[in-house]
Amino acid sequence: MGTPGKAGIPLGVMKVLDPRQLKPDITETERILTVLDETIVKLEITRLIPRIIGSLERYARMLGPEITSSLLEHQKLSVEIQHLLASPGDEESRRAVEQRLKCSLRNILRLFLANPLLYHGLKYKVRVRESPADVFIKAFMEFRDFTLEKLLTSPDEEKEKIQFMKDISLQVEKNTETISALQEELAAVIQTRDEELNRKDKMIENLKTSIEDLSKDCKAEIQHIMKEGESQQKEDEKGSEDRCGRLEQDIQLLGARFNELVLEHRASELVLRKEKCKAEREIQKWVQKYDTDMTEKQATYDKLQAAYNEEKEQLSMLMEKHTLLLQEYTEIEEERRILKEKEEEAAREEARRNDAATCIQAVWKGYLVRSIYKSKLKKGKGKGKGR
């Protein structure tokens, strides 16, 4: 049964992703992991050897006479092989030195592996600069983790994991396409709104310009009429009065027409403003919908990231426990080996004592047989003389 937060994930995939399930359950897996772990330890020791040799006087007391002498011999062989490589010569000599160098390195690794506490102490005491060897060791450790995951993953679980990753990839691609489509749609809506607003602004400007031109034309015509009336006033006052009346009527008509045009343009401007507000509300609605969708997706991503960080911390804790257990296991194996050697030595001593006792008994029996035989011979000779 999975937890509610992990619903929808196949059981096989959960077994691979959950660090608590990474426990070897068969002897072959344990043996393979033991070989890989020992190889990693040997690589780390090999990386420390040049640094230890460079400061051998400093670490001689900690290493002991046997390891120190082995390191000195290894240093001499290293210098010798460097000279042979720098000056090409006898190929057989070079191969012989290389073989001796390999044997020396194996001997040093054996001595360090026999004393794991010494290796761990040097590991945290000796400071080594980063080198290509670190990259190789890191890659080998990743290979070890990858091998462990493969050993603990059945074919069905592997298929479920691959299918699960494909489903996640398809979901991510689908979400990306949806977001891109929404963004394009939003950009198109914004562009359409801007074009519509620009068109309406130009229309309003044109209407204002036409109204101003009409007002100027009306004022110019009124002034012209007034000037004509004044010029003709002297000639015909009576006719001018009638003409003034007609002109005043024309002025009233033009004023009424002007007011009608103003009202008409104001109504058109109000309709355009309403359409503009409606378009802005629709744009705001689309923007809010986009923000809501992105917030939900971000929350889902944060939940998955938190679960991943928690599982990563659990894996780190388990790896630290595994390192401590491996160290204790190495110490127990060393104690067993020493106890076994003592038992074998006692058995050999007991066998020597039994062989010695057997030899002594055989000699003693031979001595008794010879003594009895000699006594019988003496008695036979005495009877012959009496006769």
Side-chain angles (χ1 to χ4, degrees):
M1 295 294 292
T3 59
K6 298 180 180 178
I9 301 178
L11 181 60
V13 178
M14 285 302 304
K15 183 177 180 181
V16 175
L17 297 180
D18 192 354
R20 292 173 293 181
Q21 299 293 334
L22 299 179
K23 296 180 180 178
D25 53 356
I26 55 176
T27 306
E28 290 77 5
T29 303
E30 292 180 354
R31 290 176 180 175
I32 293 171
L33 292 179
T34 301
V35 172
L36 293 175
D37 292 335
E38 288 180 357
T39 304
I40 293 172
V41 172
K42 290 179 181 179
L43 290 173
E44 292 179 347
I45 294 173
T46 305
R47 183 175 64 94
L48 294 176
I49 287 176
R51 182 65 177 176
I52 295 173
I53 291 175
S55 305
L56 193 57
E57 296 180 356
R58 178 182 177 185
Y59 303 109
R61 186 174 180 182
M62 180 186 299
L63 296 171
E66 186 177 3
I67 298 178
T68 303
S69 61
S70 299
L71 290 174
L72 289 173
E73 180 66 22
H74 186 76
Q75 185 180 15
K76 292 179 182 178
L77 292 173
S78 300
V79 174
E80 186 176 353
I81 195 66
Q82 288 177 0
H83 287 308
L84 291 174
L85 292 174
S87 57
D90 189 2
E91 186 69 19
E92 294 182 358
S93 300
R94 185 178 63 81
R95 291 180 179 177
V97 175
E98 287 180 353
Q99 188 64 30
R100 290 167 57 195
L101 184 64
K102 293 177 181 179
C103 293
S104 175
L105 181 60
R106 285 196 292 268
N107 183 44
I108 292 171
L109 293 175
R110 179 181 60 79
L111 293 174
F112 273 104
L113 290 175
N115 192 354
L117 295 177
L118 175 62
Y119 156 67
H120 287 291
L122 290 172
K123 180 180 178 181
Y124 294 103
K125 189 172 183 180
V126 177
R127 300 297 180 183
V128 182
R129 295 180 180 178
E130 293 185 359
S131 63
D134 297 325
V135 179
F136 179 76
I137 292 172
K138 184 178 180 181
F140 195 85
M141 293 174 71
E142 292 177 354
F143 170 73
R144 183 259 184 200
D145 297 336
F146 176 76
T147 303
L148 174 61
E149 182 179 346
K150 286 294 182 182
L151 290 173
L152 297 176
T153 305
S154 65
D156 294 336
E157 292 172 351
E158 183 70 19
K159 291 179 181 179
E160 290 181 0
K161 178 183 176 183
I162 293 173
Q163 185 62 37
F164 177 69
M165 298 306 292
K166 287 181 179 179
D167 294 340
I168 290 178
S169 300
L170 291 174
Q171 186 65 28
V172 171
E173 291 178 359
K174 184 176 180 181
N175 293 339
T176 304
E177 292 176 357
T178 304
I179 292 171
S180 301
L182 289 174
Q183 289 177 347
E184 292 177 357
E185 185 177 355
L186 178 62
V189 171
I190 293 174
Q191 184 177 2
T192 304
R193 182 202 64 178
D194 293 339
E195 292 176 356
E196 186 67 19
L197 291 177
N198 291 331
R199 185 180 65 80
K200 292 178 180 180
D201 291 338
K202 289 180 179 179
M203 185 182 295
I204 292 170
E205 291 294 332
N206 293 332
L207 291 173
K208 289 181 178 180
T209 304
S210 62
I211 291 171
E212 292 177 355
D213 294 339
L214 183 60
S215 299
K216 290 180 180 179
D217 292 340
C218 290
K219 290 180 180 179
E221 188 174 356
I222 291 171
Q223 291 177 358
H224 179 68
I225 293 172
M226 289 178 69
K227 287 180 181 179
E228 288 181 354
E230 290 175 356
S231 62
Q232 292 179 2
Q233 185 178 6
K234 294 179 180 181
E235 296 178 359
D236 196 0
E237 292 180 355
K238 188 175 180 179
S240 65
E241 291 177 358
D242 297 333
R243 191 177 296 173
C244 287
R246 291 193 301 270
L247 290 174
E248 287 177 356
Q249 291 178 358
D250 293 335
I251 291 171
Q252 290 177 358
L253 291 173
L254 291 173
R257 178 60 180 167
F258 173 76
N259 292 330
E260 289 176 358
L261 290 173
V262 170
L263 293 174
E264 182 180 354
H265 290 312
R266 284 180 179 176
S268 176
E269 181 180 0
L270 182 60
V271 172
L272 293 175
R273 289 184 181 276
K274 288 181 179 179
E275 293 178 356
K276 178 181 177 182
C277 292
K278 183 178 179 181
E280 289 177 350
R281 285 195 298 271
E282 290 179 355
I283 292 170
Q284 185 66 26
K285 181 179 178 181
W286 280 105
V287 170
Q288 290 177 355
K289 182 179 179 182
Y290 173 79
D291 292 339
T292 304
D293 293 339
M294 292 304 297
T295 303
E296 293 176 355
K297 290 179 172 58
Q298 183 65 33
T300 304
Y301 172 79
D302 292 338
K303 186 183 294 183
L304 292 174
Q305 184 68 26
Y308 170 77
N309 293 333
E310 182 180 356
E311 293 176 354
K312 188 175 181 182
E313 291 176 358
Q314 293 177 358
L315 176 61
S316 177
M317 293 173 62
L318 289 175
M319 292 300 294
E320 292 177 358
K321 291 181 179 179
H322 176 267
T323 303
L324 294 175
L325 291 175
L326 180 62
Q327 181 179 353
E328 293 177 359
Y329 173 80
T330 306
E331 294 175 356
I332 292 171
E333 286 294 321
E334 180 64 18
E335 292 176 358
R336 290 179 177 175
R337 185 186 64 79
I338 295 172
L339 182 60
K340 185 178 179 181
E341 290 179 354
K342 289 181 179 180
E343 291 175 354
E344 291 176 353
E345 183 64 26
R348 288 194 294 270
E349 184 65 24
E350 184 66 24
R352 285 197 298 271
R353 290 178 181 176
N354 292 334
D355 293 338
T358 303
C359 291
I360 293 170
Q361 290 175 359
V363 171
W364 176 250
K365 288 179 180 181
Y367 173 76
L368 290 177
V369 171
R370 287 193 297 273
S371 299
I372 296 170
Y373 184 73
K374 287 180 180 180
S375 63
K376 288 182 178 181
L377 288 176
K378 287 180 181 181
K379 289 181 180 180
K381 288 180 181 182
K383 290 181 181 180
K385 290 181 180 180
R387 290 177 184 175

